[in-house]
Amino acid sequence: MSFISWSFVVLFALVFAARLAFSRRNTGAPYLLILLAASVVFYGWHVPWYLLLLVFSSAVDYFAALWIDRSPAGSARRKWLIAACVSANLGLLAVFKYWNFGLSTLESLLEMAGVPAKLPHSNLILPMGLSFYTFVAMGYAVDVYRGKIPPERSFWKLFLFISFFPHLMAGPVIRAKDFLHQLYRKRRVCAPVFYEGMWLIIQGAFLKLVCANNLANTVDRLWNAQTIAQAGSADLAAMALMYSGQIFCDFAGYSNMARGMAYLLGFRFPVNFNNPYIAASFSNFWQRWHITLSTWLRDYFYISLGGNRISPRRTYINLIVVMVLGGLWHGAAATYVVWGAIHGAALAGERLLGLGQTGEQSRGRAAKLAWLVVVQVVVLVAWVFFRSPGLHEAVNFLKRILHWEGSFLPSPALLQMMVFLVPPAIMHLRGALVERGLVPPMGRFEQAALAGALLFLTMIGYGINNAFIYFQF
Amino acid sequence: MPSSTSSFSPGRKRARHRRLFAVFAASFGVLAVVSAAVWARTPDALKRQRMPVLEAPPADKGERYLSSFRGVSVGHYLHFSGIDSEMIRHLREADVLIIGNSRVQFGFPQSVMKPFFARHGLKYYALGFPYSETITFPWRLLQKYDLHPRWVVVNEDIIFFNQPSDYAAEVMRSHPFNAWQNHFETDATYAAIRALHRVLPHLKVLRANVADPVPFRSREDGTVLFIGTPAKPVLIRNFPQHHHSVYDEEVRTAAAFKAEVERRGGQLVFTYVPKVNPLRPHAVELAARLNVPLVSPVLEGLESFDTSHLTAGSAVRFATAFVQEFEKVLATAGPRPK
């Protein structure tokens, strides 16, 4: 079920009515059961049998965590259990997400070796949200293994943590230590929480329905081999810029709506986006873009590989490996691998050259500004790979920009659609000014006025394309 | 959670909440009232030509249903799931099936087709689907409902590929419940948008050439009635600008389809609904290679509203010429099987 659907509006209205009905009463268990039932309906809405995978993933992590807890610290049994648990989760991803990609790669290699072969490809459909909930579930088991949290004794509470509908399909990637304790506290509806939740939902809906959907209309229509071969360089550069805006508005919009709904239901989710296009370094970009995934990759992959504790050379390799895996997490395609490799290489290069420090005394203002431009251009180039259907198309796209042809301005039709980049640009600019203390953070009354305006603009300016980009991952 | 406001007394808290809500409502209300006033003063022509949704009827459960809206093709789902038994009954009873993509939906209006086939005592059903549909999806319907039409007319504009559109592939993997979901979502969205834009405009009306025709499909014969096609037509010229080669895969797929139609007691006929960048030579070549009759009248002065689909007036002209030629095919047919 998508947030942008009438079925979801009905479901959420029912759950929120339950929240209001149970307000201020010690009725934790019934309310949590309603949330669980809503999550099951939400996930099973399109393909009910996907629920079995969700239950399987949760059950594996539930039992693994209990058995790990019973095993002595440092014992071989404990290590075997966590290895089995991680393998089961990654196995799900391998079967549903990477099987065909692996076979196609193998076929290409065999063909290059002069032994062409047709391997049996799978017809399985990728279950929605699989990449997200396997990471959420795996993170829980690893945290128990590392002794950071005790195991959850109640299966259905763990299942609710993994399947809680606001984060189930496209994150944020929630940590058990941030969420499970919220199941046990008394909750009451209070006005500030309601305002904050509504503000996030309205802001998210505006970013998604108005900015992302309208940008998607143009980008989806034009991003094809025929148009790319004929369009001028300025048009292609504009399309890349529009896609970078689209993916931000789409995903940040979704994350804001998810956080807002969680607030209204009495839960707190972490911030997932913090004006990423003002990042002055690659490391800073990953502290602002899909924050819950980048911190997850850092804590569970990068640190497990040794992080920066072994040697400088190993640190660079670890950065590249983690980012390539991060790319592969997005999808089973060479374009995502290249996207991850670009970011990994950029992070390693930045570290090697010592350009990552963002402190006041680190570099001169001009040097920092120049590096910010480099960072954002590289991010934009990486988005071209992320969006393109294949490596060949992405390289062609970039080649055509580099060998500049045509006018210096995009066509009027594109310029007209670029108006939907203005709201995220203002949002980033304001964020930068707030961070530098030049303007104060938005107060409640300003938020209320802006929320009214955004709601109005959403009602008159929504675009057609309702699918969330990150649902496919 | 956000910081507590417990330092305020309950009365002050309530007053603050009321002020916050008033600011929110005032911000929304001022913008809404101003734009509604502007919208109300907008000339009728602008409203009607650029927002067909306002002119179209509600998506009720009568003879016609809203067949696609905002990227969802309900028609795909309803035909495949079979949840509308009345519609499937008409499909099963059809003597003539007209298969193709969206150009079939625009090219064969009911006003021409219904009286013609009624005169011949035949039932027909138009199986045109949007999203550049290939033969795979209607072929699957032919098998699924065990259809035995006497004639299958295929609009041959590069349709014979043994792979459905991405949309149809998703539909063919879906459960009948998904059909119901999509039907509900589409009708609810349509109702909400119709209600909303009677009061507030959509930003689209400020841009030219933005009309989205609203398609209503007949349960009885599958023809589509489009409400609100844009005004600026493009002339279709009758000379081949592109001659796509006929691929071996197309010939193989078309031959297999022809064999299936004949096995079911029918005759395969090709047609070609004109568009800008015509592909008629492709249809002529494939028809010749498979020895299939091609009913494809060539008319001067046909117009398309979007370079791909006929305008309502041109569709009537084309369909009238088509049925005149198709009459010859009917004349060569043997007696009606029992």
Side-chain angles (χ1 to χ4, degrees), chain A residues 184-204:
Chain A
Y184 291 92
R185 63 177 175 75
K186 272 190 188 174
R187 64 199 86 242
R188 49 190 283 260
V189 183
C190 57
V193 171
F194 180 77
Y195 294 146
E196 186 67 19
M198 288 308 293
W199 163 243
L200 285 168
I201 291 172
I202 290 173
Q203 196 189 29

Side-chain angles (χ1 to χ4, degrees), chain B residues 69-127:
Chain B
F69 192 61
R70 287 174 59 81
V72 178
S73 169
V74 177
H76 269 95
Y77 279 100
L78 289 188
H79 282 92
F80 189 76
S81 65
I83 58 171
D84 190 328
S85 54
E86 183 71 3
M87 198 173 82
I88 301 303
R89 183 176 65 79
H90 286 301
L91 181 60
R92 280 204 169 106
E93 289 173 356
D95 301 296
V96 181
L97 281 183
I98 304 168
I99 287 176
N101 50 32
S102 56
R103 277 179 282 285
V104 160
Q105 295 192 316
F106 281 89
F108 295 100
Q110 194 184 51
S111 59
V112 177
M113 307 305 279
K114 197 170 180 174
F116 171 79
F117 284 109
R119 209 166 53 242
H120 287 83
L122 295 170
K123 288 194 77 178
Y124 73 103
Y125 198 96
L127 268 180

Side-chain angles (χ1 to χ4, degrees), chain A residues 5-7 45-46 125 185 191 193 195 263 268 416 444-445 448-449 451-453 456 459-460 462-464 466, chain B residues 1-2 17 19-20 23-24 27-28 31-32 35 70 173 178 181 185 188-189 192-193 196-197 201-203 207:
Chain A
S5 68
W6 293 102
S7 320
W45 190 243
H46 286 295
I125 312 161
R185 63 177 175 75
V193 171
Y195 294 146
Y263 259 81
R268 188 176 190 171
Q416 201 180 15
R444 280 264 181 263
F445 283 99
F456 168 77
M459 289 167 96
I460 68 159
Y462 60 84
I464 285 178
N466 276 343
Chain B
M1 294 288 159
H17 298 331
R19 283 204 304 276
L20 270 172
V23 169
F24 169 78
S27 158
F28 180 85
L31 288 167
S35 57
R70 287 174 59 81
R173 288 193 299 256
N178 299 131
Q181 288 168 342
E185 284 290 340
T189 305
I193 284 177
L196 174 67
H197 294 311
H202 190 280
L203 280 178
R207 297 179 58 227

Side-chain angles (χ1 to χ4, degrees), chain A residues 64-85 141-149:
Chain A
L66 287 180
W67 292 333
I68 285 169
D69 188 54
R70 281 182 210 146
S71 311
S75 65
R77 184 171 177 237
R78 208 173 156 93
K79 285 179 184 160
W80 276 109
L81 280 168
I82 191 64
C85 172
V142 173
D143 280 350
V144 173
Y145 171 77
R146 287 176 176 171
K148 287 187 175 174
I149 53 166

Side-chain angles (χ1 to χ4, degrees), chain A residues 81-411:
Chain A
L81 280 168
I82 191 64
C85 172
V86 170
S87 305
N89 280 298
L90 292 180
L92 273 184
L93 280 175
V95 169
F96 283 93
K97 195 163 178 173
Y98 302 113
W99 182 260
N100 286 344
F101 177 63
L103 289 185
S104 301
T105 311
L106 191 59
E107 280 173 356
S108 304
L109 291 173
L110 287 171
E111 197 172 335
M112 280 162 67
V115 197
K118 272 269 178 206
L119 299 170
H121 284 243
S122 143
N123 287 326
L124 289 171
I125 312 161
L126 176 68
M128 282 185 290
L130 180 71
S131 306
F132 283 93
Y133 71 70
T134 46
F135 268 31
V136 168
M138 224 170 9
Y140 159 74
V142 173
D143 280 350
V144 173
Y145 171 77
R146 287 176 176 171
K148 287 187 175 174
I149 53 166
E152 172 57 57
R153 305 278 164 196
S154 155
F155 174 73
W156 72 267
K157 280 185 177 155
L158 183 75
F159 187 55
L160 174 59
F161 154 61
I162 293 168
S163 67
F164 187 42
F165 68 86
H167 75 76
L168 180 58
M169 294 294 204
V173 184
I174 305 295
R175 306 284 185 94
K177 69 178 171 54
D178 298 329
F179 187 88
L180 283 173
H181 69 92
Q182 296 189 54
L183 293 174
Y184 291 92
R185 63 177 175 75
K186 272 190 188 174
R187 64 199 86 242
R188 49 190 283 260
V189 183
C190 57
V193 171
F194 180 77
Y195 294 146
E196 186 67 19
M198 288 308 293
W199 163 243
L200 285 168
I201 291 172
I202 290 173
Q203 196 189 29
F206 173 78
L207 283 175
K208 167 62 187 163
L209 288 169
V210 179
C211 301
N213 284 7
N214 282 302
L215 289 168
N217 254 359
T218 307
V219 172
D220 292 350
R221 189 165 45 83
L222 297 179
W223 207 300
N224 58 62
Q226 199 184 351
T227 312
I228 289 169
Q230 292 167 356
S233 302
D235 285 348
L236 294 179
M239 276 163 61
L241 211 56
M242 287 168 83
Y243 182 65
S244 75
Q246 181 204 338
I247 194 166
F248 168 75
C249 295
D250 191 282
F251 199 15
Y254 181 91
S255 296
N256 277 354
M257 281 192 273
R259 286 180 61 217
M261 281 178 233
Y263 259 81
L264 292 184
L265 298 178
F267 293 88
R268 188 176 190 171
F269 280 0
V271 174
N272 214 16
F273 287 87
N274 179 21
N275 303 315
Y277 296 138
I278 58 167
S281 67
F282 289 106
S283 53
N284 190 231
F285 177 81
W286 284 102
Q287 287 158 9
R288 294 169 178 276
W289 178 274
H290 205 173
I291 300 166
T292 56
L293 176 70
S294 56
T295 50
W296 197 99
L297 290 172
R298 181 196 64 199
D299 294 348
Y300 298 103
F301 275 173
Y302 181 67
I303 291 176
S304 302
L305 290 171
N308 55 5
R309 289 163 299 168
I310 298 175
S311 69
R313 182 183 293 178
R314 183 65 187 271
T315 303
Y316 305 139
I317 292 171
N318 287 347
L319 281 170
I320 294 171
V321 167
V322 168
M323 292 313 294
V324 167
L325 286 173
L328 206 52
W329 175 87
H330 283 86
T335 46
Y336 295 118
V337 173
V338 172
W339 175 79
I342 290 173
H343 276 283
L347 282 167
E350 183 177 78
R351 196 178 177 93
L352 178 71
L353 300 171
L355 293 165
Q357 294 94 1
T358 50
E360 281 304 312
Q361 62 277 56
S362 57
R363 282 170 287 147
R365 189 170 287 185
K368 274 199 276 189
L369 190 66
W371 189 240
L372 182 147
V373 173
V374 171
V375 168
Q376 294 304 335
V377 169
V378 172
V379 167
L380 200 61
V381 167
W383 283 137
V384 172
F385 283 92
F386 196 89
R387 173 62 180 80
S388 294
L391 288 181
H392 180 69
E393 288 84 351
V395 171
N396 268 353
F397 191 104
L398 293 169
K399 263 189 193 166
R400 286 190 54 81
I401 296 181
L402 281 175
H403 301 135
W404 194 272
E405 280 173 24
S407 131
F408 277 89
L409 273 180
S411 61

